[in-house]
Amino acid sequence: MSNVKLENVRLLDPVAQIDVTTTVYLQNGQRVDSLDQIDEQIDAQGKWLMPTMVDLCARVREPGQQQHGTLKSEGKAARENGILHVITPPDSQPIVQDNGALIHGLIEKAWTDGKFHLHIIGAQTQGLLGRQPANMAALKKGGCTAVSNANAAFENDDVVIRTLEYAAGLGLTVVFYPEEPQIAKDGCVHEGFIASRQGLPMIPVIAETIAIAKYLIMIEATGVRAHFGLLSSAQSIELIRAAKAKGLPVTADVAMHQLHLTEALIDGFNTLAHVRPPLRSEADKVALRDAVKSGVIDAICTHHEPLSSSAKMMPFAETLPGISAFDTYVALGVQLIQEGLFEPLEWVEKVTVAPARVANMQERWLNEKGWVLVDPALEWKVDKTTILSQGKNTPLLNQNLTGKVVQTFLP
């Protein structure tokens, strides 16, 4: 039993729409009205108490890529940074997300090893090969509420339509990470002046928008519930805005780093800024911020992708894309508040109840959420000792940030 009294804490509860400085009692990670016995008393003056977060897109690298991260290492990084529910795409190596029984075992191992709730998006096609629909009925039985082909290409559009019809019949959400492979090809950075000057292969914005436009037509035809993850461009936002206005059952998210970082960081062949979708222009960054604020983009995710140091040591185009993001997630959220984009409660909603709603797990999150104490004024340096993730691959390395989780209260 753990009974905690927090005095003078700013309570940010997006479910009850509460933003007030008060005294809060917690019993085993759950809010209660009072306590007969208090085990720990905390003066939380200047600190925020918020629910644990839900991450719509993170790769934990296990099974198969433990050189980059494990369920234990990434679970600790997520949990200590206030993220208790992590949703991962179906592209581990080897791929196990087309097998309902294996998925169930991986979910159990994540809790045993990392003490976090792992939610696995099932494979949309067998082996992510894009040829035949996966056994979605078995995936649903194994615990999946969504399917995706991740970044893998489909053999043709007929396969896409058949999988959407299958998913719609089962009530599964289909998650798209939109990129037209014939246009993106071997690109690795945003199409623009900096990429051209450095001679790097480029991924134009239309690789994303053409994919979104095509999938939206299929969504309308099949009636499937769909989510567009990791949007990166202003043009994509307009397509999602129009789809929502039309009443299509679509939602969207954006990675936190896309709200802060731009293509400028790739100058000098900075491989730590190699991520997919690529960091785009300043105008795209501004548009993405406005879209999150207005609700066109529903939620903010980490897009956490831990990588070993050797994965970033080759020539830029040959390095693996990805940014380690669990450890900087809260600080970058605090920065959005400091810059006037959000009030604190608005930001909390975008990383807690909003992603839970998108993932169709509101009830489970409410029952298993726990609470997080954040110091929004705590200054800290991003370095290899303060990053809890096994992956130290972030372009924010050696920078000073403000805002950090200082304590978690978990059920």
Side-chain angles (χ1 to χ4, degrees):
M1 297 287 287
S2 176
N3 297 331
V4 181
K5 179 182 180 181
L6 296 104
E7 297 178 312
N8 306 310
V9 71
R10 185 172 181 180
L11 175 63
L12 300 171
D13 185 343
V15 177
Q17 286 294 294
I18 293 173
D19 179 354
V20 63
T21 299
T22 185
T23 296
V24 175
Y25 300 95
L26 298 175
Q27 185 173 57
N28 296 327
Q30 301 290 349
R31 273 185 67 203
V32 292
D33 293 333
S34 61
L35 290 169
D36 294 331
Q37 176 184 334
I38 296 173
D39 301 319
E40 184 178 6
Q41 185 165 319
I42 300 171
D43 183 358
Q45 181 74 42
K47 298 181 178 66
W48 303 343
L49 186 70
M50 60 179 283
T52 52
M53 291 169 277
V54 177
D55 189 1
L56 287 172
C57 184
R59 288 177 171 87
V60 291
R61 300 305 187 191
E62 189 177 346
Q65 294 183 301
Q66 284 91 326
Q67 73 274 28
H68 301 306
T70 65
L71 292 171
K72 184 176 182 179
S73 70
E74 304 319 296
K76 176 180 173 61
R79 192 178 66 252
E80 294 297 316
N81 285 289
I83 305 165
L84 190 58
H85 292 267
V86 174
I87 299 167
T88 189
D91 53 358
S92 63
Q93 296 179 9
I95 293 165
V96 300
Q97 292 88 345
D98 59 358
N99 185 311
L102 292 177
I103 285 174
H104 184 71
L106 192 58
I107 290 171
E108 289 186 341
K109 192 173 189 293
W111 181 253
T112 301
D113 290 1
K115 293 295 183 290
F116 71 110
H117 297 295
L118 184 65
H119 306 265
I120 299 173
I121 300 172
Q124 194 170 341
T125 62
Q126 295 176 21
L128 297 183
L129 297 175
R131 296 170 187 161
Q132 296 290 332
N135 186 346
M136 295 184 196
L139 294 177
K140 183 176 181 179
K141 189 175 180 180
C144 294
T145 59
V147 294
S148 174
N149 223 47
N151 297 119
F154 295 97
E155 189 174 73
N156 55 58
D157 289 338
D158 181 58
V159 174
V160 184
I161 294 170
R162 283 190 288 126
T163 59
L164 298 192
E165 291 171 340
Y166 189 4
L170 292 169
L172 292 169
T173 300
V174 176
V175 180
F176 294 105
Y177 303 101
E179 183 181 274
E180 191 64 30
Q182 294 181 16
I183 298 173
K185 294 182 180 178
D186 297 322
C188 62
V189 292
H190 174 63
E191 183 179 55
F193 173 75
I194 298 174
S196 297
R197 178 165 52 80
Q198 298 189 131
L200 292 170
M202 297 175 280
I203 303 175
V205 165
I206 60 169
E208 183 170 290
T209 54
I210 286 176
I212 293 174
K214 179 174 69 173
Y215 294 143
L216 285 173
I217 293 171
M218 296 178 182
I219 290 163
E220 185 171 14
T222 60
V224 72
R225 186 174 185 265
H227 178 73
F228 289 90
L230 310 180
L231 296 189
S232 70
S233 73
Q235 292 93 323
S236 297
I237 294 163
E238 295 311 309
L239 291 169
I240 300 299
R241 190 193 312 275
K244 287 189 170 187
K246 200 173 183 178
L248 296 185
V250 298
T251 52
D253 71 56
V254 63
M256 181 67 85
H257 53 250
Q258 295 284 6
L259 303 177
H260 293 271
L261 312 179
T262 69
E263 59 177 334
L265 281 178
I266 68 169
D267 203 12
F269 301 99
N270 178 10
T271 60
L272 291 175
H274 182 195
V275 66
R276 196 167 191 139
L279 300 176
R280 300 220 181 257
S281 69
E282 180 69 23
D284 288 312
K285 184 189 84 171
V286 172
L288 289 167
R289 286 185 169 205
D290 290 343
V292 177
K293 175 72 174 180
S294 69
V296 174
I297 293 177
D298 299 83
I300 306 170
C301 69
T302 66
H303 194 194
H304 175 70
E305 295 189 295
L307 292 168
S308 65
S309 57
S310 61
K312 291 290 188 179
M313 288 182 175
M314 295 172 282
F316 192 104
E318 297 175 26
T319 59
L320 294 177
I323 291 174
S324 182
F326 282 160
D327 292 278
T328 58
Y329 191 48
V330 167
L332 293 180
V334 169
Q335 186 175 327
L336 293 176
I337 295 166
Q338 292 173 337
E339 294 174 359
L341 182 66
F342 294 123
E343 292 297 321
L345 188 61
E346 288 181 293
W347 165 69
V348 170
E349 193 268 342
K350 298 295 183 183
V351 297
T352 57
V353 67
R357 190 182 304 119
V358 166
N360 197 27
M361 53 174 280
Q362 306 99 300
E363 186 175 345
R364 180 175 178 185
W365 172 74
L366 283 170
N367 292 333
E368 300 175 337
K369 63 179 187 296
W371 293 86
V372 177
L373 190 63
V374 174
D375 186 343
L378 179 63
E379 295 183 4
W380 61 286
K381 185 175 183 179
V382 183
D383 60 35
K384 293 181 179 180
T385 63
T386 57
I387 296 174
L388 298 178
S389 168
Q390 186 173 313
K392 314 301 180 183
N393 50 300
T394 169
L396 299 172
L397 206 59
N398 297 319
Q399 291 189 27
N400 293 318
L401 296 179
T402 302
K404 196 165 181 57
V405 171
V406 292
Q407 198 165 350
T408 58
F409 308 95
L410 305 181

